[in-house]
Amino acid sequence: MIYKGFAEIYDELMKEAPYTRWTEFLHERMSKFGNGGTNVLDLGCGTGEISIRLKQKGYQVTGMDISEEMLSIAFQKTAEMGLSIPYFQHDMRFPGELGQLFDGIFICCDSLNYLQSEEDVHAALHAAFDQLAPDGILVFDVHSLYKIHEIFNEATFADNNDEVSYIWNSFIGDAPDSIEHDLSFFVRRGSVYERFDEYHTQRTYSVKQYEEMLVQAGFTLLEVSADFKNQPPEQQSERIFFVAAKK
């Protein structure tokens, strides 16, 4: 899933997303667990919302995403704000050589859940480990099993406004603990609406599985929390946050 037609309306649909809370969460973890450096990589940066906020907080930010369309929007927004952030189009599993190591690597907004197999997640975590400076930290968030099975499963989300409307149906996928998102969007073009459809798949794992994958990739696990609450996950937690270090 590469967010093709979706890219141009992504910011409108995500305008209520808690990007500032994400940025503060990352900053707090860098302050608490980091090595004192400020060079960070925003993996799956999308349209640059978190990258831009991190830059405004004084971080040296590099953004990376697999979607050329999303990066084009990120470049434009960053330039319009008078900021300079290098953005690269790469798959987080195979990021290539960026010529530097990072003090922090962040995978936000459940981007890791778009990887379709455990092997893919292993590849992304190993790649992140290799790109971290000594004592650098990795921070990422994922959907919980509870959210996949109890919130998304058989759910329909919809919105109707003058510029963009959508119908979003979710159902359990073929792979274990995966969810399929079937989305139809209607975008106003003058006096008519253009429809386009996208089909997204996400997959998650148990907290224990993520912990094991981090250790296998060479990380030292530092913290597991949920839902921006700085507390351990509970049965009905929806978003799980992991912090790990390259020791």
Side-chain angles (χ1 to χ4, degrees):
M1 192 285 302
I2 309 180
Y3 282 131
K4 291 189 176 178
F6 197 34
E8 66 175 293
I9 60 169
Y10 183 82
D11 284 341
E12 174 65 24
L13 297 176
M14 295 292 288
K15 62 185 178 182
E16 302 299 326
Y19 291 126
T20 299
R21 292 183 71 187
W22 252 299
T23 305
E24 288 301 322
F25 185 92
L26 298 172
H27 176 63
E28 289 169 4
R29 268 61 200 168
M30 287 291 288
S31 299
K32 182 177 181 180
F33 298 115
N35 60 10
T38 60
N39 190 24
V40 300
L41 174 63
D42 185 8
L43 276 178
C45 65
T47 63
E49 285 291 328
I50 291 176
S51 294
I52 289 169
R53 285 168 170 78
L54 288 168
K55 183 72 174 181
Q56 291 171 328
K57 289 189 75 69
Y59 287 92
Q60 298 302 308
V61 184
T62 298
M64 182 187 295
D65 202 276
I66 196 172
S67 169
E68 181 180 358
E69 289 81 3
M70 298 287 266
L71 289 175
S72 177
I73 295 170
F75 272 115
Q76 180 179 348
K77 288 196 302 188
T78 302
E80 288 174 352
M81 298 184 73
L83 301 174
S84 177
I85 298 174
Y87 292 105
F88 296 92
Q89 183 186 10
H90 286 296
D91 187 321
M92 71 173 70
R93 300 168 298 174
F94 316 109
E97 180 55 57
L98 296 179
Q100 60 182 312
L101 296 177
F102 297 94
D103 303 303
I105 294 180
F106 311 138
I107 312 175
C108 300
C109 307
D110 49 84
S111 294
L112 199 67
N113 289 136
Y114 285 102
L115 301 180
Q116 298 301 297
S117 70
E118 192 168 346
E119 290 74 22
D120 288 339
V121 178
H122 276 293
L125 295 179
H126 277 89
F129 185 88
D130 291 341
Q131 293 178 95
L132 276 173
D135 295 319
I137 64 169
L138 169 69
V139 185
F140 67 89
D141 64 82
V142 293
H143 292 315
S144 68
L145 291 172
Y146 172 82
K147 187 170 186 178
I148 292 292
H149 291 281
E150 303 298 332
I151 304 296
F152 280 141
N153 186 23
E154 301 298 329
T156 296
F157 309 94
D159 190 28
N160 182 27
N161 64 50
D162 290 341
E163 300 301 323
V164 179
S165 300
Y166 67 85
I167 301 172
W168 170 1
N169 295 306
S170 297
F171 48 91
I172 291 296
D174 294 331
D177 302 320
S178 67
I179 196 75
E180 311 285 346
H181 303 295
D182 189 1
L183 304 101
S184 295
F185 296 92
F186 305 86
V187 182
R188 186 173 182 176
R189 308 291 194 199
S191 61
V192 300
Y193 285 85
E194 178 183 355
R195 172 177 172 167
F196 58 91
D197 301 299
E198 296 219 0
Y199 191 80
H200 300 176
T201 300
Q202 291 187 294
R203 185 178 179 185
T204 200
Y205 302 88
S206 69
V207 170
K208 181 179 180 181
Q209 284 175 291
Y210 282 114
E211 291 175 346
E212 291 173 347
M213 286 189 279
L214 282 166
V215 171
Q216 290 169 11
F219 285 100
T220 298
L221 183 65
L222 301 178
E223 181 184 75
V224 182
S225 62
D227 298 333
F228 298 103
K229 296 179 180 178
N230 300 328
Q231 297 177 355
E234 300 176 347
Q235 179 63 35
Q236 295 185 351
S237 296
E238 297 183 24
R239 186 175 298 276
I240 313 299
F241 290 82
F242 294 83
V243 183
K246 181 177 183 177
K247 296 293 187 180

